[in-house]
Amino acid sequence: MSSTHLSRPGYLQRLLSWFQISHMSAGLIAVLVGYTSSAAIVFQAAQAAGANTTELGSWMWSLGIGLGLLSAGLSLRYKIPILTAWSTPGAALLATGLVGLPMSQAVGIFLFSSLLTTICGLSGSFQKLMQYMPRSIAGAMLGGILLRFGLDLFGAMQTQWLLCLSMFIVFLVVRQWSPRYAVPLALVAGVTIAAMQGLLKMEILSWTPATPVLVWPEFSWTALIGVGIPFFIVTMSSQNIPGVAVLKAHNYDAPNSTVISWTGIVGLIFGPFGGYAYNLAAISAALCMTPEVDADPRQRYRASVWAGIFYFAAGIFGATVVSLFAAFPTELIAAIAGLALLGTIGNSIHMALEAPDTRDAALVTFLTTASGMSLLNIGSAFWGLVFGMAMYLIQKRKVS
Protein backbone atom coordinates (compact mmCIF):
# COMPACT_ATOMS: atom_id res chain seq x y z
CA MET A 1 0.00 0.00 0.00
CA SER A 2 1.50 3.34 -1.03
CA SER A 3 2.32 6.11 1.42
CA THR A 4 0.07 8.41 -0.61
CA HIS A 5 -2.88 6.14 0.03
CA LEU A 6 -2.06 5.90 3.74
CA SER A 7 -1.98 9.68 4.07
CA ARG A 8 -5.46 10.19 2.71
CA PRO A 9 -7.77 11.94 5.23
CA GLY A 10 -10.42 9.25 4.82
CA TYR A 11 -8.03 6.48 5.85
CA LEU A 12 -6.76 8.41 8.86
CA GLN A 13 -10.29 9.25 9.91
CA ARG A 14 -11.30 5.59 9.80
CA LEU A 15 -8.20 4.64 11.74
CA LEU A 16 -8.77 7.27 14.42
CA SER A 17 -12.42 6.24 14.74
CA TRP A 18 -11.20 3.01 16.33
CA PHE A 19 -9.65 4.94 19.22
CA GLN A 20 -12.76 6.63 20.60
CA ILE A 21 -12.55 6.75 24.37
CA SER A 22 -16.17 5.60 24.74
CA HIS A 23 -15.43 2.40 22.77
CA MET A 24 -12.20 1.67 24.61
CA SER A 25 -13.58 2.41 28.07
CA ALA A 26 -16.68 0.28 27.50
CA GLY A 27 -14.51 -2.64 26.43
CA LEU A 28 -12.20 -2.16 29.41
CA ILE A 29 -15.06 -1.90 31.90
CA ALA A 30 -16.72 -5.01 30.43
CA VAL A 31 -13.54 -7.02 30.99
CA LEU A 32 -13.00 -5.40 34.39
CA VAL A 33 -16.49 -6.33 35.56
CA GLY A 34 -16.12 -9.88 34.27
CA TYR A 35 -12.79 -10.53 35.98
CA THR A 36 -13.48 -8.86 39.29
CA SER A 37 -16.93 -10.38 39.72
CA SER A 38 -16.02 -14.03 39.22
CA ALA A 39 -12.27 -14.66 38.90
CA ALA A 40 -12.18 -15.90 42.49
CA ILE A 41 -14.77 -18.57 41.59
CA VAL A 42 -12.60 -19.72 38.69
CA PHE A 43 -9.68 -19.99 41.12
CA GLN A 44 -11.80 -22.17 43.41
CA ALA A 45 -12.75 -24.43 40.51
CA ALA A 46 -9.11 -24.84 39.50
CA GLN A 47 -8.04 -25.53 43.06
CA ALA A 48 -10.81 -28.14 43.41
CA ALA A 49 -9.11 -30.05 40.59
CA GLY A 50 -5.76 -29.73 42.38
CA ALA A 51 -4.27 -27.04 40.14
CA ASN A 52 -0.96 -25.58 41.25
CA THR A 53 0.08 -21.97 40.71
CA THR A 54 1.44 -22.60 37.21
CA GLU A 55 -1.68 -24.50 36.14
CA LEU A 56 -3.88 -21.76 37.57
CA GLY A 57 -1.98 -19.25 35.46
CA SER A 58 -2.54 -21.51 32.46
CA TRP A 59 -6.29 -21.48 33.13
CA MET A 60 -6.32 -17.68 33.08
CA TRP A 61 -4.07 -17.64 30.00
CA SER A 62 -6.35 -19.96 28.02
CA LEU A 63 -9.51 -18.14 29.10
CA GLY A 64 -8.13 -14.70 28.24
CA ILE A 65 -6.69 -15.70 24.87
CA GLY A 66 -9.79 -17.67 23.86
CA LEU A 67 -12.22 -14.96 24.92
CA GLY A 68 -10.12 -12.34 23.15
CA LEU A 69 -10.15 -14.27 19.89
CA LEU A 70 -13.88 -14.93 20.11
CA SER A 71 -14.96 -11.43 21.12
CA ALA A 72 -12.79 -9.56 18.63
CA GLY A 73 -13.17 -12.10 15.82
CA LEU A 74 -16.95 -12.53 15.98
CA SER A 75 -17.58 -8.80 16.43
CA LEU A 76 -15.42 -7.94 13.42
CA ARG A 77 -16.99 -10.70 11.33
CA TYR A 78 -20.63 -9.80 11.95
CA LYS A 79 -20.29 -6.08 12.88
CA ILE A 80 -22.32 -6.79 16.04
CA PRO A 81 -21.15 -6.30 19.65
CA ILE A 82 -20.73 -10.01 20.40
CA LEU A 83 -18.94 -10.40 23.72
CA THR A 84 -17.98 -13.75 25.18
CA ALA A 85 -17.14 -14.72 28.74
CA TRP A 86 -16.37 -17.69 30.91
CA SER A 87 -19.22 -19.49 32.66
CA THR A 88 -19.50 -18.16 36.20
CA PRO A 89 -22.28 -20.59 37.24
CA GLY A 90 -20.28 -23.33 35.55
CA ALA A 91 -17.22 -22.42 37.60
CA ALA A 92 -19.31 -22.53 40.77
CA LEU A 93 -20.52 -26.01 39.83
CA LEU A 94 -16.97 -27.14 39.09
CA ALA A 95 -15.75 -25.78 42.43
CA THR A 96 -17.75 -28.53 44.11
CA GLY A 97 -18.01 -31.12 41.34
CA LEU A 98 -14.28 -31.42 40.67
CA VAL A 99 -13.32 -32.12 44.27
CA GLY A 100 -11.46 -35.42 44.35
CA LEU A 101 -11.07 -35.62 40.56
CA PRO A 102 -7.64 -35.40 38.90
CA MET A 103 -6.92 -32.55 36.51
CA SER A 104 -6.97 -34.97 33.56
CA GLN A 105 -10.61 -35.90 34.25
CA ALA A 106 -11.45 -32.21 34.69
CA VAL A 107 -10.09 -31.55 31.21
CA GLY A 108 -12.15 -34.45 29.92
CA ILE A 109 -15.26 -32.76 31.32
CA PHE A 110 -14.31 -29.46 29.62
CA LEU A 111 -13.91 -31.16 26.25
CA PHE A 112 -17.13 -33.13 26.66
CA SER A 113 -19.14 -29.98 27.40
CA SER A 114 -17.50 -28.09 24.53
CA LEU A 115 -18.32 -30.94 22.15
CA LEU A 116 -21.99 -30.85 23.19
CA THR A 117 -22.01 -27.07 22.72
CA THR A 118 -20.51 -27.41 19.24
CA ILE A 119 -23.09 -30.01 18.23
CA CYS A 120 -25.91 -27.86 19.63
CA GLY A 121 -24.72 -24.90 17.57
CA LEU A 122 -24.04 -26.77 14.32
CA SER A 123 -27.38 -28.57 14.44
CA GLY A 124 -29.23 -25.26 14.50
CA SER A 125 -31.45 -26.31 17.39
CA PHE A 126 -30.37 -23.36 19.51
CA GLN A 127 -31.30 -20.83 16.79
CA LYS A 128 -34.72 -22.43 16.28
CA LEU A 129 -35.44 -22.32 20.01
CA MET A 130 -34.61 -18.61 20.29
CA GLN A 131 -36.98 -17.65 17.47
CA TYR A 132 -39.94 -18.30 19.76
CA MET A 133 -38.86 -15.83 22.47
CA PRO A 134 -40.90 -12.57 22.50
CA ARG A 135 -38.96 -9.33 22.73
CA SER A 136 -40.63 -8.48 26.06
CA ILE A 137 -39.46 -11.75 27.62
CA ALA A 138 -35.91 -11.05 26.46
CA GLY A 139 -36.06 -7.57 27.97
CA ALA A 140 -37.48 -8.92 31.23
CA MET A 141 -34.74 -11.51 31.54
CA LEU A 142 -32.07 -8.89 30.88
CA GLY A 143 -33.60 -6.50 33.40
CA GLY A 144 -33.74 -9.23 36.03
CA ILE A 145 -30.10 -10.15 35.44
CA LEU A 146 -28.92 -6.55 35.67
CA LEU A 147 -31.11 -5.39 38.56
CA ARG A 148 -28.63 -6.53 41.19
CA PHE A 149 -25.91 -4.37 39.69
CA GLY A 150 -28.11 -1.29 39.87
CA LEU A 151 -28.91 -2.04 43.51
CA ASP A 152 -25.24 -2.66 44.31
CA LEU A 153 -24.42 0.86 43.12
CA PHE A 154 -26.39 2.34 46.02
CA GLY A 155 -25.59 -0.49 48.42
CA ALA A 156 -21.89 0.31 48.02
CA MET A 157 -22.53 3.83 49.33
CA GLN A 158 -23.11 2.35 52.79
CA THR A 159 -19.46 1.40 53.19
CA GLN A 160 -17.70 3.94 50.90
CA TRP A 161 -20.17 6.80 50.61
CA LEU A 162 -17.65 9.47 49.53
CA LEU A 163 -16.17 7.30 46.78
CA CYS A 164 -19.48 6.07 45.34
CA LEU A 165 -21.40 9.32 45.79
CA SER A 166 -18.62 11.27 44.04
CA MET A 167 -18.70 8.87 41.12
CA PHE A 168 -22.50 9.16 40.99
CA ILE A 169 -22.36 12.97 40.95
CA VAL A 170 -19.70 13.03 38.23
CA PHE A 171 -21.80 10.64 36.18
CA LEU A 172 -24.94 12.78 36.51
CA VAL A 173 -23.17 16.04 35.69
CA VAL A 174 -21.19 14.76 32.70
CA ARG A 175 -24.22 12.88 31.37
CA GLN A 176 -26.05 16.17 30.87
CA TRP A 177 -23.60 17.46 28.26
CA SER A 178 -21.79 14.37 26.99
CA PRO A 179 -23.35 10.98 27.86
CA ARG A 180 -20.59 9.15 26.01
CA TYR A 181 -17.97 10.27 28.54
CA ALA A 182 -20.08 9.94 31.69
CA VAL A 183 -18.95 6.42 32.58
CA PRO A 184 -15.21 6.77 31.81
CA LEU A 185 -14.97 10.07 33.71
CA ALA A 186 -16.83 8.52 36.64
CA LEU A 187 -14.24 5.72 36.60
CA VAL A 188 -11.39 8.24 36.55
CA ALA A 189 -12.99 10.08 39.47
CA GLY A 190 -13.37 6.84 41.38
CA VAL A 191 -9.77 5.76 40.89
CA THR A 192 -8.55 9.24 41.87
CA ILE A 193 -10.59 9.37 45.07
CA ALA A 194 -9.68 5.78 45.94
CA ALA A 195 -6.00 6.70 45.58
CA MET A 196 -6.45 9.79 47.77
CA GLN A 197 -8.14 7.67 50.44
CA GLY A 198 -5.44 5.02 50.30
CA LEU A 199 -7.85 2.34 49.09
CA LEU A 200 -5.72 1.16 46.17
CA LYS A 201 -3.68 -1.93 47.08
CA MET A 202 -0.94 -1.43 44.52
CA GLU A 203 1.55 -3.41 46.61
CA ILE A 204 -0.14 -6.69 45.65
CA LEU A 205 0.67 -6.31 41.95
CA SER A 206 3.00 -8.90 40.45
CA TRP A 207 3.64 -8.61 36.72
CA THR A 208 4.42 -12.15 35.60
CA PRO A 209 3.36 -13.58 32.21
CA ALA A 210 1.54 -16.89 32.34
CA THR A 211 2.88 -20.16 30.95
CA PRO A 212 0.40 -22.49 29.20
CA VAL A 213 0.36 -26.02 30.62
CA LEU A 214 -1.01 -28.86 28.49
CA VAL A 215 -2.94 -31.58 30.36
CA TRP A 216 -4.02 -34.68 28.44
CA PRO A 217 -7.68 -35.51 29.00
CA GLU A 218 -9.04 -38.59 30.72
CA PHE A 219 -12.66 -39.53 30.10
CA SER A 220 -14.51 -41.09 33.01
CA TRP A 221 -18.16 -41.99 32.42
CA THR A 222 -19.06 -41.24 36.00
CA ALA A 223 -17.42 -37.81 35.81
CA LEU A 224 -18.98 -37.01 32.42
CA ILE A 225 -22.48 -37.96 33.58
CA GLY A 226 -22.23 -36.63 37.13
CA VAL A 227 -20.42 -33.37 36.36
CA GLY A 228 -20.15 -32.95 32.59
CA ILE A 229 -23.85 -33.01 31.69
CA PRO A 230 -24.94 -30.68 34.54
CA PHE A 231 -22.03 -28.40 33.64
CA PHE A 232 -23.19 -28.22 30.01
CA ILE A 233 -26.80 -27.53 31.02
CA VAL A 234 -25.82 -24.82 33.47
CA THR A 235 -23.57 -23.10 30.93
CA MET A 236 -26.14 -23.17 28.16
CA SER A 237 -29.09 -22.12 30.30
CA SER A 238 -27.44 -19.61 32.60
CA GLN A 239 -25.02 -18.03 30.11
CA ASN A 240 -25.84 -18.57 26.44
CA ILE A 241 -29.60 -18.04 26.68
CA PRO A 242 -29.22 -14.74 28.60
CA GLY A 243 -26.43 -13.79 26.20
CA VAL A 244 -28.73 -14.21 23.22
CA ALA A 245 -31.45 -12.35 25.12
CA VAL A 246 -29.12 -9.38 25.56
CA LEU A 247 -28.44 -9.23 21.82
CA LYS A 248 -32.11 -9.60 21.01
CA ALA A 249 -33.14 -6.98 23.56
CA HIS A 250 -30.82 -4.50 21.85
CA ASN A 251 -32.21 -5.41 18.40
CA TYR A 252 -29.09 -7.20 17.16
CA ASP A 253 -29.82 -10.10 14.84
CA ALA A 254 -26.87 -12.40 15.46
CA PRO A 255 -26.38 -15.84 13.85
CA ASN A 256 -26.80 -17.48 17.24
CA SER A 257 -26.21 -21.08 16.21
CA THR A 258 -22.99 -20.19 14.40
CA VAL A 259 -21.76 -18.12 17.33
CA ILE A 260 -22.58 -20.91 19.80
CA SER A 261 -20.73 -23.44 17.67
CA TRP A 262 -17.63 -21.22 17.63
CA THR A 263 -17.60 -21.03 21.43
CA GLY A 264 -17.64 -24.83 21.50
CA ILE A 265 -14.83 -25.11 18.95
CA VAL A 266 -12.62 -22.71 20.90
CA GLY A 267 -13.37 -24.74 24.03
CA LEU A 268 -12.15 -27.87 22.27
CA ILE A 269 -8.90 -26.10 21.39
CA PHE A 270 -8.14 -24.47 24.75
CA GLY A 271 -9.76 -27.02 27.08
CA PRO A 272 -6.53 -28.99 27.61
CA PHE A 273 -4.88 -25.76 28.83
CA GLY A 274 -7.62 -24.95 31.36
CA GLY A 275 -10.16 -23.17 29.17
CA TYR A 276 -13.08 -24.80 30.90
CA ALA A 277 -15.95 -22.95 29.13
CA TYR A 278 -16.56 -20.20 26.57
CA ASN A 279 -20.00 -18.73 26.10
CA LEU A 280 -21.89 -15.57 25.28
CA ALA A 281 -21.67 -12.84 27.88
CA ALA A 282 -24.81 -11.24 29.25
CA ILE A 283 -24.02 -8.68 31.96
CA SER A 284 -20.69 -7.49 30.60
CA ALA A 285 -22.03 -7.61 27.03
CA ALA A 286 -24.70 -5.07 27.91
CA LEU A 287 -21.93 -2.60 28.75
CA CYS A 288 -20.95 -2.58 25.08
CA MET A 289 -24.47 -1.97 23.75
CA THR A 290 -25.63 1.22 25.47
CA PRO A 291 -26.16 4.59 23.70
CA GLU A 292 -23.29 5.95 25.82
CA VAL A 293 -20.90 3.68 23.91
CA ASP A 294 -21.94 5.15 20.57
CA ALA A 295 -25.06 6.95 19.36
CA ASP A 296 -24.96 4.74 16.27
CA PRO A 297 -25.83 1.12 17.17
CA ARG A 298 -23.93 -0.06 14.10
CA GLN A 299 -20.65 1.18 15.58
CA ARG A 300 -20.98 -0.34 19.04
CA TYR A 301 -19.33 -3.56 17.92
CA ARG A 302 -16.01 -1.73 18.23
CA ALA A 303 -16.40 -1.76 22.01
CA SER A 304 -16.54 -5.57 21.90
CA VAL A 305 -13.46 -5.61 19.66
CA TRP A 306 -11.63 -3.55 22.28
CA ALA A 307 -12.88 -5.91 24.97
CA GLY A 308 -11.35 -8.74 22.95
CA ILE A 309 -8.04 -6.89 22.87
CA PHE A 310 -8.14 -6.38 26.64
CA TYR A 311 -9.09 -10.04 27.13
CA PHE A 312 -6.09 -11.05 25.03
CA ALA A 313 -3.76 -8.81 27.06
CA ALA A 314 -5.21 -10.18 30.28
CA GLY A 315 -4.60 -13.71 29.05
CA ILE A 316 -0.94 -13.05 28.34
CA PHE A 317 -0.39 -12.00 31.94
CA GLY A 318 -2.71 -14.73 33.23
CA ALA A 319 -3.44 -14.67 36.94
CA THR A 320 -1.44 -11.46 37.32
CA VAL A 321 -4.36 -9.45 36.01
CA VAL A 322 -6.45 -10.65 38.94
CA SER A 323 -4.03 -8.97 41.32
CA LEU A 324 -4.48 -5.75 39.35
CA PHE A 325 -8.25 -5.88 39.66
CA ALA A 326 -7.94 -6.86 43.31
CA ALA A 327 -6.07 -3.59 43.88
CA PHE A 328 -9.32 -1.66 43.38
CA PRO A 329 -11.85 -1.55 46.23
CA THR A 330 -14.95 -3.67 45.66
CA GLU A 331 -17.15 -0.61 46.08
CA LEU A 332 -15.51 1.08 43.10
CA ILE A 333 -16.20 -1.93 40.89
CA ALA A 334 -19.81 -2.13 42.09
CA ALA A 335 -20.36 1.59 41.50
CA ILE A 336 -18.90 1.71 37.98
CA ALA A 337 -20.83 -1.40 36.93
CA GLY A 338 -24.09 0.03 38.24
CA LEU A 339 -23.54 3.39 36.56
CA ALA A 340 -22.61 1.80 33.26
CA LEU A 341 -25.73 -0.36 33.28
CA LEU A 342 -28.19 2.26 34.53
CA GLY A 343 -29.60 3.11 31.10
CA THR A 344 -29.77 -0.52 30.03
CA ILE A 345 -31.74 -1.49 33.14
CA GLY A 346 -34.31 1.22 32.45
CA ASN A 347 -34.64 0.32 28.78
CA SER A 348 -35.01 -3.38 29.62
CA ILE A 349 -37.79 -2.77 32.12
CA HIS A 350 -39.57 -0.47 29.66
CA MET A 351 -39.27 -3.09 26.92
CA ALA A 352 -40.59 -5.79 29.24
CA LEU A 353 -43.70 -3.92 30.30
CA GLU A 354 -44.67 -1.84 27.27
CA ALA A 355 -46.75 -4.57 25.54
CA PRO A 356 -49.98 -5.22 27.54
CA ASP A 357 -50.57 -8.71 26.13
CA THR A 358 -47.19 -10.02 27.36
CA ARG A 359 -46.85 -7.88 30.49
CA ASP A 360 -47.77 -10.59 33.00
CA ALA A 361 -45.41 -13.11 31.44
CA ALA A 362 -42.61 -10.55 31.31
CA LEU A 363 -43.19 -9.63 34.95
CA VAL A 364 -42.91 -13.27 35.99
CA THR A 365 -39.70 -13.56 33.97
CA PHE A 366 -38.29 -10.41 35.56
CA LEU A 367 -39.12 -11.37 39.15
CA THR A 368 -37.94 -14.96 38.78
CA THR A 369 -34.66 -13.90 37.20
CA ALA A 370 -34.05 -11.12 39.73
CA SER A 371 -34.78 -13.48 42.65
CA GLY A 372 -31.49 -15.34 42.16
CA MET A 373 -33.23 -18.67 42.79
CA SER A 374 -31.56 -21.94 41.83
CA LEU A 375 -33.32 -25.22 41.13
CA LEU A 376 -31.47 -28.40 40.16
CA ASN A 377 -28.24 -26.37 40.06
CA ILE A 378 -29.68 -24.24 37.24
CA GLY A 379 -29.72 -20.48 37.69
CA SER A 380 -32.65 -18.10 37.92
CA ALA A 381 -32.21 -16.72 34.39
CA PHE A 382 -33.17 -20.09 32.93
CA TRP A 383 -36.14 -20.52 35.26
CA GLY A 384 -37.25 -16.98 34.54
CA LEU A 385 -37.40 -17.92 30.88
CA VAL A 386 -39.23 -21.18 31.61
CA PHE A 387 -41.88 -19.64 33.87
CA GLY A 388 -42.32 -16.55 31.72
CA MET A 389 -42.61 -18.50 28.47
CA ALA A 390 -45.03 -20.94 30.11
CA MET A 391 -47.33 -18.09 31.11
CA TYR A 392 -46.94 -16.47 27.70
CA LEU A 393 -47.92 -19.68 25.86
CA ILE A 394 -50.85 -20.35 28.18
CA GLN A 395 -52.19 -16.81 27.76
CA LYS A 396 -51.64 -16.94 24.01
CA ARG A 397 -53.53 -20.23 23.76
CA LYS A 398 -56.39 -18.83 25.87
CA VAL A 399 -56.73 -15.78 23.63
CA SER A 400 -56.69 -17.86 20.44
Side-chain angles (χ1 to χ4, degrees):
M1 184 178 293
S2 66
S3 59
T4 302
H5 179 73
L6 290 174
S7 62
R8 291 176 181 174
Y11 177 85
L12 293 176
Q13 186 177 7
R14 290 194 299 270
L15 180 62
L16 292 175
S17 67
W18 279 93
F19 292 89
Q20 290 191 31
I21 187 173
S22 59
H23 298 163
M24 298 172 67
S25 63
L28 177 61
I29 292 172
V31 174
L32 182 68
V33 168
Y35 269 79
T36 54
S37 63
S38 59
I41 302 177
V42 177
F43 281 16
Q44 293 174 1
Q47 291 168 351
N52 56 35
T53 303
T54 303
E55 290 172 332
L56 179 56
S58 180
W59 278 46
M60 303 309 294
W61 174 87
S62 60
L63 289 170
I65 299 298
L67 294 175
L69 293 174
L70 281 169
S71 298
L74 292 172
S75 296
L76 285 171
R77 170 64 179 83
Y78 298 108
K79 300 297 186 292
I80 293 175
I82 300 174
L83 192 68
T84 54
W86 57 55
S87 173
T88 301
L93 187 150
L94 293 176
T96 57
L98 294 183
V99 175
L101 297 181
M103 182 64 72
S104 58
Q105 289 190 18
V107 170
I109 292 171
F110 304 162
L111 296 179
F112 175 68
S113 178
S114 295
L115 178 61
L116 293 179
T117 301
T118 304
I119 294 173
C120 185
L122 292 176
S123 66
S125 57
F126 190 77
Q127 179 80 13
K128 295 177 182 177
L129 176 64
M130 293 310 300
Q131 290 176 349
Y132 295 98
M133 180 187 295
R135 186 168 177 265
S136 59
I137 299 294
M141 176 186 284
L142 177 58
I145 293 171
L146 301 182
L147 179 63
R148 179 178 63 85
F149 288 82
L151 297 176
D152 287 347
L153 162 63
F154 301 99
M157 292 185 185
Q158 297 183 70
T159 53
Q160 291 294 340
W161 68 269
L162 179 60
L163 172 66
C164 298
L165 184 59
S166 299
M167 295 174 65
F168 183 60
I169 293 174
V170 170
F171 175 83
L172 291 181
V173 172
V174 177
R175 188 180 175 87
Q176 300 305 311
W177 58 270
S178 183
R180 180 178 300 184
Y181 298 101
V183 173
L185 289 181
L187 177 60
V188 171
V191 173
T192 302
I193 294 174
M196 293 173 60
Q197 292 182 313
L199 299 175
L200 301 182
K201 305 173 184 178
M202 305 306 293
E203 69 278 1
I204 68 176
L205 296 181
S206 176
W207 300 97
T208 306
T211 302
V213 177
L214 175 65
V215 177
W216 292 105
E218 177 185 348
F219 298 98
S220 165
W221 286 111
T222 56
L224 295 182
I225 295 174
V227 182
I229 292 179
F231 176 59
F232 165 74
I233 294 174
V234 165
T235 299
M236 291 296 289
S237 62
S238 299
Q239 297 283 167
N240 282 325
I241 290 179
V244 172
V246 170
L247 288 165
K248 190 170 185 177
H250 287 86
N251 298 316
Y252 288 110
D253 186 18
N256 298 320
S257 293
T258 302
V259 170
I260 293 299
S261 63
W262 273 113
T263 62
I265 292 171
V266 170
L268 291 173
I269 296 173
F270 286 98
F273 298 96
Y276 71 93
Y278 302 87
N279 45 252
L280 290 174
I283 296 170
S284 54
L287 294 168
C288 299
M289 301 180 191
T290 65
E292 288 77 15
V293 174
D294 199 299
D296 185 359
R298 296 171 299 178
Q299 301 300 324
R300 295 174 193 168
Y301 76 94
R302 298 184 179 186
S304 293
V305 174
W306 275 108
I309 295 173
F310 290 124
Y311 267 137
F312 199 88
I316 293 176
F317 287 98
T320 303
V321 73
V322 178
S323 68
L324 173 62
F325 294 146
F328 294 97
T330 56
E331 293 86 355
L332 188 152
I333 302 301
I336 197 61
L339 291 172
L341 293 170
L342 201 59
T344 303
I345 295 173
N347 292 335
S348 299
I349 295 175
H350 173 73
M351 182 190 307
L353 303 179
E354 66 177 338
D357 56 334
T358 60
R359 187 171 297 163
D360 290 343
L363 184 59
V364 168
T365 301
F366 174 78
L367 293 176
T368 305
T369 304
S371 71
M373 63 175 287
S374 176
L375 294 176
L376 305 176
N377 287 324
I378 300 177
S380 61
F382 173 75
W383 293 115
L385 174 63
V386 170
F387 296 156
M389 285 297 297
M391 177 169 282
Y392 166 74
L393 293 174
I394 291 173
Q395 292 180 330
K396 184 178 180 181
R397 182 177 181 181
K398 182 179 179 180
V399 172
S400 60

